[in-house]
């Protein structure tokens, strides 16, 4: 009976759709999206094969585990994720975190190493899922647009340069967690002219097809053309590296195992992976969301989706995964409009594991490098930084700092430092918010900033009216007091009263409350009354609870500024009923 009642409630279906977003977008799926989803799914699926194998090797795992990580997690995310273009799977940064974390531990052999890597996926998934349930996704609110733009542009350049070795045919190893200049120094050691010619031709061909028509599945065409030419002309004999042998067989179900005495050793690694993976995925998905604008990424649900993907994936031998920048860029460029693309990608990986390894054996790695490099070019935003430079110098510096740090130090450090600088900028702004002196607009009961409406307002020397456009807290209380006393000192005559139009003040902390009490007492000794008008509900509650109401006097609180103004000038209230309400406002 209880279940039947729950099912009939109006809020059950929306809640269910919020937790399983596929139920919201799948019924509204449009037929014209299908071609783009199929093209993107196949392209990303093909990319995942050599990419997954390479990233598994970076993590210190056998290559086949990269394919396992490319299969189940993206299927789970397609059901639960709110981004429709985010491509979930193994990524370079998480692979390096796995390798560096486990490499610092005493591990007996490869079997224990594999078990711990898989258990890390379960562990970080539990952490992400828990953070999502606790609604800790608000952390992403500190990823401002300048930070995301600077990070995305720099990361796109780094990802592009990470593919230079495949474009040049270099056999050097790329150290993915280092900055751009480390990559340049490592990759330019050897060049295969045949590989370079083939890769550059692929880039030109991709760009040409896109110029002919945006809807052409250029990446897909180039992939199959590359396989055909590689097989036909035996490009391997000219030094062109191909994907090679891919192990066959789907991953089997297996419960992750680890010695429980080692869980404490894995905690810091899992926590770092959980947070870094979330930041990487959410920053990429937010960047893509801004481009499309027909859906909204929910940070809490993203934590739940990524956490569930990693947890379930670990039971099918997946190591830690998240949303990848390069694959998401390719997914978006290839026309993905929904999670159907992820199902197609998973299908490609699954079919490849089962049947198609001979087909992709001849796929040149330089083709994939060309696709990635063309895709990430679209993530480099120049218009937004130029607009910020012209209009908001402080935010431009934030963008430039994030961009530079990401480019030089690395992706993880760049995004974290960008967030730190964003918080510092926020603290600086709130420590010195806008404080306006108001005057009465002639012939009306309205008050405006005297600096903006100098010709339209009038002032009376008996009263000073100010508006503080921020909450009052420990970070700006001294600034508020200093500015208020400075205004009084610069007045041509000693005022009888100060009216604080408090509508923008939505919170007053204990430090600011103590400052107000001492300030009011100080001004009282100078013969200056302090009046408040337009106090909103939350602030009114704080004033009542702290006893400031009794200190100031209930008669000094007004609903409207005009009534406070008339009270000081000993004039009749604008409305007797309103005056009564003003006196009883608190």
């Amino acid at each position: 009976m209880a279940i039947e009642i729950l099912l009939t409630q109006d809020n059950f279906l929306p809640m269910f759709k919020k937790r399983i977003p596929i139920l919201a977008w799948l019924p509204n799926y449009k037929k014209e999206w299908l071609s783009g989803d199929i093209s993107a799914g196949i392209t990303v699926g093909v990319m995942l094969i050599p990419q997954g194998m390479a990233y598994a090797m970076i993590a210190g795992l056998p290559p086949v585990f990269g394919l396992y990580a490319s299969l189940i997690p993206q299927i789970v995310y397609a059901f639960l994720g709110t981004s429709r273009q985010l491509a979930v799977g193994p990524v370079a940064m998480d692979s390096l975190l796995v390798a560096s974390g486990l490499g610092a531990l005493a591990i007996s052999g490869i079997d224990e190493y594999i078990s711990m890597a898989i258990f890390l996926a379960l562990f970080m998934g539990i952490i992400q899922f828990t953070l999502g349930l606790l609604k800790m996704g608000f952390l992403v609110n500190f990823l401002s647009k300048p930070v995301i733009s600077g990070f995305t542009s720099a990361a796109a350049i780094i990802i592009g340069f990470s593919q230079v070795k495949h474009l040049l045919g270099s056999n050097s190893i790329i150290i993915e967690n280092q900055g751009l200049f480390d990559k340049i120094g490592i990759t330019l050691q050897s060049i295969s002219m045949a590989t370079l010619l083939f890769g550059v031709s692929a880039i030109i061909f991709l760009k040409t097809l896109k110029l002919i028509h945006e809807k052409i599945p250029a990446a897909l065409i180039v992939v199959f053309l590359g396989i055909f030419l590689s097989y036909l002309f035996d490009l391997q004999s000219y030094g062109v590296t191909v994907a090679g042998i891919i192990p066959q067989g789907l991953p089997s179900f297996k419960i992750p195992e680890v010695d429980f005495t080692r869980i404490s050793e894995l905690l810091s690694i899992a926590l770092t992976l959980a947070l870094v993976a979330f930041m990487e995925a959410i920053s990429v998905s937010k960047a893509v969301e801004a481009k499309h604008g027909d859906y909204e990424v929910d940070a809490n649900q993203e934590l739940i989706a990524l956490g569930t993907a990693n947890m379930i994936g670990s039971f099918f031998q997946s190591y830690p995964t998240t949303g990848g920048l390069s694959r998401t860029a390719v997914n978006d460029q290839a026309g993905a409009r929904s999670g159907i693309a992820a199902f197609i990608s998973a299908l490609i990986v699954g079919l490849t594991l089962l049947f198609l390894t001979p087909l992709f054996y001849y796929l040149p790695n330089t083709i994939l490098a060309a696709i990635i490099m063309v895709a990430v070019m679209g993530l480099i935003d120049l218009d937004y930084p130029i607009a910020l430079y012209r209009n908001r110098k402080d935010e431009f510096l934030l963008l430039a700092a994030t961009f530079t740090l990401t480019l030089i130090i690395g992706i993880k450090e760049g995004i974290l430092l960008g967030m730190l600088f964003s918080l510092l900028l926020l603290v600086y702004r709130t420590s010195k918010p806008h404080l306006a002196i108001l005057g009465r607009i002639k012939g009306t009961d309205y008050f405006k900033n005297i600096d903006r409406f100098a010709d339209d307002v009038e002032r009376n020397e008996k009263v000073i009216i100010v508006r503080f456009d921020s909450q009052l807290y420990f970070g700006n209380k001294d600034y508020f007091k200093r500015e208020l006393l400075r205004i009084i000192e610069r007045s041509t005559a000693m005022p009888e009263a100060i009216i604080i139009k408090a509508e923008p003040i939505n919170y007053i902390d204990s430090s600011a409350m103590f400052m107000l009490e001492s300030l009011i007492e100080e001004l009282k000794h100078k013969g200056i009354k302090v009046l408040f008008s337009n106090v909103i509900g939350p602030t009114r509650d704080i004033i009542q609870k702290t006893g400031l109401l009794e200190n100031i006097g209930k008669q000094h609180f007004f609903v409207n500024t005009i009534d406070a103004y008339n009270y000081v000038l000993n004039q009749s209230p604008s409305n007797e009923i309103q005056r009564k309400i003003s006196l009883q406002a608190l």
Side-chain angles (χ1 to χ4, degrees):
M1 179 63 71
I3 295 175
E4 291 177 358
I5 293 173
L6 181 62
L7 289 173
T8 59
Q9 292 179 349
D10 293 337
N11 65 342
F12 177 76
L13 189 57
M15 181 190 70
F16 204 59
K17 288 181 177 179
K18 184 178 180 180
R19 290 303 176 203
I20 308 178
I22 192 173
L23 299 178
W25 60 259
L26 190 58
N28 301 314
Y29 191 83
K30 299 177 181 179
K31 288 190 294 184
E32 55 264 30
W33 295 354
L34 187 58
S35 60
D37 280 337
I38 292 175
S39 173
I42 294 175
T43 304
V44 172
V46 170
M47 281 182 62
L48 271 168
I49 297 163
Q51 223 179 50
M53 295 170 66
Y55 290 158
M57 293 177 68
I58 291 174
L61 297 166
V64 70
F65 286 92
L67 298 180
Y68 296 161
S70 305
L71 193 59
I72 300 300
Q74 65 174 326
I75 294 176
V76 176
Y77 180 84
F79 279 93
L80 301 179
T82 56
S83 173
R84 300 182 187 178
Q85 284 80 30
L86 188 68
V88 172
V91 297
M93 188 163 63
D94 281 14
S95 299
L96 281 165
L97 286 172
V98 170
S100 60
L102 295 182
L105 304 179
I107 298 177
S108 59
I110 185 62
D111 290 337
E112 185 183 9
Y113 186 95
I114 292 172
S115 295
M116 294 183 76
I118 293 172
F119 185 81
L120 270 178
L122 176 63
F123 205 172
M124 72 174 281
I126 292 172
I127 293 172
Q128 288 175 327
F129 186 83
T130 304
L131 290 174
L133 291 180
L134 295 175
K135 299 187 182 300
M136 297 297 287
F138 71 87
L139 294 171
V140 78
N141 293 334
F142 297 106
L143 276 172
S144 62
K145 184 170 174 56
V147 170
I148 293 175
S149 178
F151 163 75
T152 303
S153 295
I157 293 173
I158 292 174
I159 293 295
F161 270 95
S162 73
Q163 300 302 307
V164 168
K165 74 163 188 174
H166 298 299
L167 196 69
L168 300 180
S170 169
N171 294 321
S172 304
I173 298 174
I174 297 295
I175 302 178
E176 293 285 352
N177 64 336
Q178 295 187 12
L180 173 62
F181 299 107
D182 296 300
K183 294 178 185 297
I184 293 175
I186 293 172
T187 53
L188 297 182
Q189 292 182 11
S190 60
I191 296 176
S192 165
M193 293 307 298
T195 303
L196 177 61
L197 180 62
F198 204 60
V200 171
S201 299
I203 291 175
I204 295 172
F205 192 57
L206 283 165
K207 298 295 288 184
T208 302
L209 288 178
K210 285 297 181 182
L211 287 174
I212 293 173
H213 200 287
E214 189 68 25
K215 297 296 184 181
I216 294 177
L220 190 60
I221 293 173
V222 168
V223 164
F224 285 110
L225 187 60
I227 292 173
F228 175 73
L229 293 175
S230 175
Y231 174 77
L232 185 64
F233 295 105
D234 190 19
L235 294 181
Q236 284 181 273
S237 62
Y238 295 96
V240 177
T241 305
V242 297
I245 298 174
I246 300 172
Q248 288 184 300
L250 296 176
S252 58
F253 178 85
K254 185 178 180 181
I255 297 174
E257 296 178 357
V258 71
D259 186 346
F260 283 98
T261 60
R262 312 207 67 171
I263 289 181
S264 59
E265 295 179 310
L266 295 176
L267 177 60
S268 61
I269 307 172
L271 184 60
T272 302
L273 275 166
L275 295 177
V276 171
F278 172 59
M279 291 300 179
E280 184 177 5
I282 201 68
S283 59
V284 173
S285 58
K286 282 284 186 182
V288 177
E289 174 204 15
K291 178 180 176 182
H292 288 271
D294 57 347
Y295 64 89
E296 184 176 353
V297 172
D298 184 329
N300 293 319
Q301 182 61 28
E302 286 298 287
L303 277 168
I304 292 173
L306 291 169
T308 307
N310 276 296
M311 285 190 293
I312 296 178
S314 69
F315 288 93
F316 294 90
Q317 303 179 57
S318 168
Y319 75 99
T321 61
T322 189
L325 175 61
S326 60
R327 288 194 303 274
T328 300
V330 171
N331 201 33
D332 185 38
Q333 288 278 326
R337 297 298 302 274
S338 74
I340 296 296
F343 291 121
I344 300 295
S345 297
L347 180 63
I348 293 298
V349 174
L351 290 174
T352 300
L353 281 168
L354 288 172
F355 309 113
L356 303 178
T357 51
L359 176 62
F360 292 101
Y361 179 94
Y362 293 98
L363 174 63
N365 289 336
T366 188
I367 291 291
L368 295 174
I371 293 171
I372 293 171
M373 295 179 82
V374 170
V376 297
M377 287 178 191
L379 295 177
I380 301 174
D381 188 357
L382 297 177
D383 294 336
Y384 183 63
I386 292 172
L388 284 183
Y389 181 77
R390 291 172 179 170
N391 304 311
R392 300 298 301 266
K393 292 292 194 300
D394 55 346
E395 294 195 37
F396 172 78
L397 291 175
L398 176 61
L399 185 151
T402 304
F403 176 83
T404 304
L405 290 168
T406 304
L407 206 60
I408 295 176
I409 301 176
I411 292 177
K412 177 181 66 176
E413 294 81 2
I415 190 69
L416 294 176
L417 288 172
M419 286 182 63
L420 176 61
F421 291 150
S422 184
L423 288 173
L424 291 175
L425 181 59
L426 173 65
V427 170
Y428 174 77
R429 284 174 178 163
T430 59
S431 68
K432 293 185 177 181
H434 181 250
L435 191 149
I437 304 174
L438 307 182
R440 184 178 183 178
I441 296 180
K442 299 171 184 177
T444 73
D445 291 341
Y446 297 100
F447 296 82
K448 293 292 184 181
N449 189 336
I450 63 172
D451 293 329
R452 294 179 181 270
F453 302 90
D455 297 332
D456 301 321
V457 299
E458 58 185 11
R459 295 182 63 187
N460 192 300
E461 293 182 351
K462 291 183 178 182
V463 59
I464 294 175
I465 308 170
V466 297
R467 189 189 70 232
F468 191 66
D469 295 334
S470 174
Q471 61 175 306
L472 260 174
Y473 75 112
F474 64 90
N476 60 27
K477 63 179 179 62
D478 293 333
Y479 171 79
F480 174 81
K481 180 178 180 179
R482 185 171 61 250
E483 287 298 300
L484 203 59
L485 293 176
R486 184 181 63 82
I487 292 170
I488 293 172
E489 290 173 3
R490 292 185 178 183
S491 299
T492 55
M494 184 64 70
E496 293 181 9
I498 298 284
I499 299 175
I500 300 174
K501 188 177 182 181
E503 191 172 15
I505 302 176
N506 58 11
Y507 181 75
I508 304 176
D509 74 356
S510 58
S511 300
M513 192 64 69
F514 182 79
M515 177 275 299
L516 280 176
E517 290 175 349
S518 63
L519 175 62
I520 291 167
E521 193 65 31
E522 180 180 340
L523 293 177
K524 188 184 295 184
H525 287 305
K526 294 181 179 181
I528 301 174
K529 301 174 184 176
V530 177
L531 285 67
F532 287 82
S533 71
N534 303 87
V535 183
I536 63 173
T539 308
R540 193 164 61 238
D541 294 339
I542 294 171
I543 290 173
Q544 285 179 313
K545 291 177 182 177
T546 56
L548 184 63
L549 175 62
E550 288 75 18
N551 187 15
I552 300 174
K554 193 172 184 179
Q555 71 276 13
H556 290 159
F557 285 85
F558 299 83
V559 171
N560 294 315
T561 305
I562 184 62
D563 289 327
Y565 185 77
N566 288 337
Y567 174 80
V568 175
L569 300 181
N570 295 316
Q571 297 176 7
S572 299
S574 58
N575 184 296
E576 286 299 329
I577 296 177
Q578 184 65 48
R579 171 63 179 158
K580 187 175 181 180
I581 294 173
S582 297
L583 290 173
Q584 296 177 352
L586 294 171

